[in-house]
Amino acid sequence: MNRASDPSDVHVRDRGSVLLPTRITPWVRWLAVASLLANSLLILTGGLVRLTGSGLGCPTWPRCTDASWTNTPEMGMHGLIEFGNRLLTFVLAAVAVLTFLAVLRLRHEHRDLFRIALLLGLGIPVQAVVGGITVLTGLNPWVVGIHYIISGVMIALATVLVDRTRRRSLPAVGEAERPGQAPGQRRTVRGLMVALAVLCALILYLGTLVTGTGPHAGDDSTARHAFDAYLITRAHAVPVYLIVVAVVLGMVLARRHRWPVALASSLNLMLAVLVLQALIGYYQYFNGVPLVAVALHLVGSAVLIWATARTVEKGFAVTRTPDPVLRTADAPDAAEAAARR
């Protein structure tokens, strides 16, 4: 029998290509989502470390103590929480490795996906080292801020990976977000997208200064920023007002000039996230920054990064100059799908 036509041999090859696919499969898309969720979870667990005062639960790095790699019973709940946060690094690493393998054989046809997966993988050791420096410097608020910003960048990259894998493998999404839309509005759309990205980055950075000035800096004995808490909070609110105005302006323009539905819907979602995040922020400010509200605000910051990156990605995608050579969908055609059945 010709082994090339042996159904069992084909089955083995198909099964062996799951980890190293030659096209964008559901496995690739799910790993992109897993990368997004895992990096978002890191913000939550890092926030819990700060909010419970467990920032120095493991007082050194890379070991938890000078004599142990793990937390000890004597370290109590603070040691357990901080060590648990460190263990999440291994989950992130596993997801990053699988994601990298999933796009490895796609690196020639989809170089951008390969580069994003590579950056997500390299970001993990960078985060680990910055986290170690954070501990070794006694939770210096400037270093803590850098630690958070890197997580924000990782979430944004994972969001782009999710969007691009969906656009190139799901025909309906590829059609809705095809390039060359919004004719005559390219400069306006892209200018607005840049403004949204810059304002979101400014909001996140000023948010780290507010946190470093307030009571939840990770440990009662750690240094705080010397900013006036009232003034730095007000400064943090300014780009929030501006980004809300920018999003509303985008929604008006989208309706007036009939921007693509995918972009208009992303702007609507982004406004909802901003309003909810602002309400939580005001609540925590006027109620003495309670732990639950602060935790929700941290989760909201991850959601805001996702919503902004998603909107910006779609804005640039739909206004890109069409390339007749580029494949906008990687899904198998009907004949190929029928043959596989």
Side-chain angles (χ1 to χ4, degrees):
M1 176 184 288
N2 185 355
R3 289 188 58 80
S5 61
D6 186 351
S8 62
D9 190 48
V10 173
H11 176 71
V12 170
R13 289 202 305 271
D14 287 344
R15 185 174 59 187
S17 66
V18 170
L19 294 179
L20 293 165
T22 56
R23 63 184 180 85
I24 301 176
T25 61
W27 171 248
V28 178
R29 293 197 300 270
W30 276 110
L31 282 174
V33 173
S35 183
L36 173 61
L37 294 177
N39 281 285
S40 300
L41 182 61
L42 187 62
I43 282 186
L44 174 59
T45 58
L48 292 177
V49 169
R50 285 212 322 266
L51 295 175
T52 57
S54 304
L56 295 178
C58 286
T60 188
W61 186 89
R63 294 173 180 263
C64 191
T65 69
D66 291 333
S68 175
W69 286 96
T70 64
N71 62 299
T72 62
E74 293 76 17
M75 299 169 69
M77 185 58 68
H78 290 325
L80 181 62
I81 292 174
E82 167 60 10
F83 183 69
N85 183 55
R86 293 188 183 189
L87 284 180
L88 183 59
T89 300
F90 295 98
V91 176
L92 285 169
V95 172
V97 169
L98 289 174
T99 303
F100 180 79
L101 291 176
V103 301
L104 183 61
R105 295 171 69 180
L106 307 176
R107 64 187 181 278
H108 299 299
E109 187 175 2
H110 302 285
R111 292 182 181 179
D112 55 333
L113 303 186
F114 175 77
R115 290 168 182 165
I116 293 172
L118 180 61
L119 287 173
L120 287 171
L122 294 176
I124 294 172
V126 171
Q127 271 288 62
V129 171
V130 174
I133 295 173
T134 301
V135 172
L136 296 176
T137 57
L139 304 185
N140 182 292
W142 294 107
V143 182
V144 173
I146 293 173
H147 199 38
Y148 171 84
I149 293 298
I150 294 174
S151 288
V153 172
M154 300 275 278
I155 291 173
L157 286 172
T159 301
V160 173
L161 187 63
V162 170
D163 267 30
R164 293 187 181 182
T165 54
R166 285 174 51 80
R167 185 180 307 124
R168 296 176 191 179
S169 62
L170 299 176
V173 178
E175 173 61 25
E177 300 178 12
R178 69 187 184 280
Q181 299 188 67
Q185 292 288 301
R186 185 175 188 271
R187 293 182 63 180
T188 301
V189 171
R190 294 198 162 198
L192 178 64
M193 296 303 104
V194 171
L196 294 180
V198 170
L199 287 171
C200 181
L202 186 57
I203 289 168
L204 299 174
Y205 175 70
L206 290 174
T208 66
L209 300 185
V210 173
T211 300
T213 304
H216 301 304
D219 187 85
D220 293 337
S221 62
T222 58
R224 302 295 199 275
H225 287 308
F227 300 115
D228 180 279
Y230 175 81
L231 292 179
I232 196 62
T233 302
R234 290 299 182 185
H236 174 54
V238 170
V240 175
Y241 299 144
L242 293 177
I243 200 172
V244 169
V245 171
V247 171
V248 172
L249 175 61
M251 293 169 63
V252 172
L253 292 174
R255 184 178 181 85
R256 179 176 299 176
H257 298 286
R258 296 186 178 181
W259 288 2
V261 174
L263 177 57
S265 299
S266 291
L267 287 167
N268 294 341
L269 177 61
M270 190 173 170
L271 180 63
V273 172
L274 282 166
V275 170
L276 182 59
Q277 182 73 331
L279 290 175
I280 297 173
Y282 275 113
Y283 175 83
Q284 69 175 14
Y285 177 77
F286 289 112
N287 289 275
V289 288
L291 296 184
V292 174
V294 176
L296 289 174
H297 202 53
L298 272 170
V299 173
S301 71
V303 176
L304 176 60
I305 297 168
W306 165 76
T308 304
R310 181 174 179 268
T311 301
V312 172
E313 161 66 13
K314 292 183 187 300
F316 275 89
V318 299
T319 56
R320 184 174 52 78
T321 302
D323 185 346
V325 179
L326 184 67
R327 295 172 63 187
T328 57
D330 224 342
D333 57 25
E336 183 181 351
R340 290 185 177 181
R341 286 196 293 271

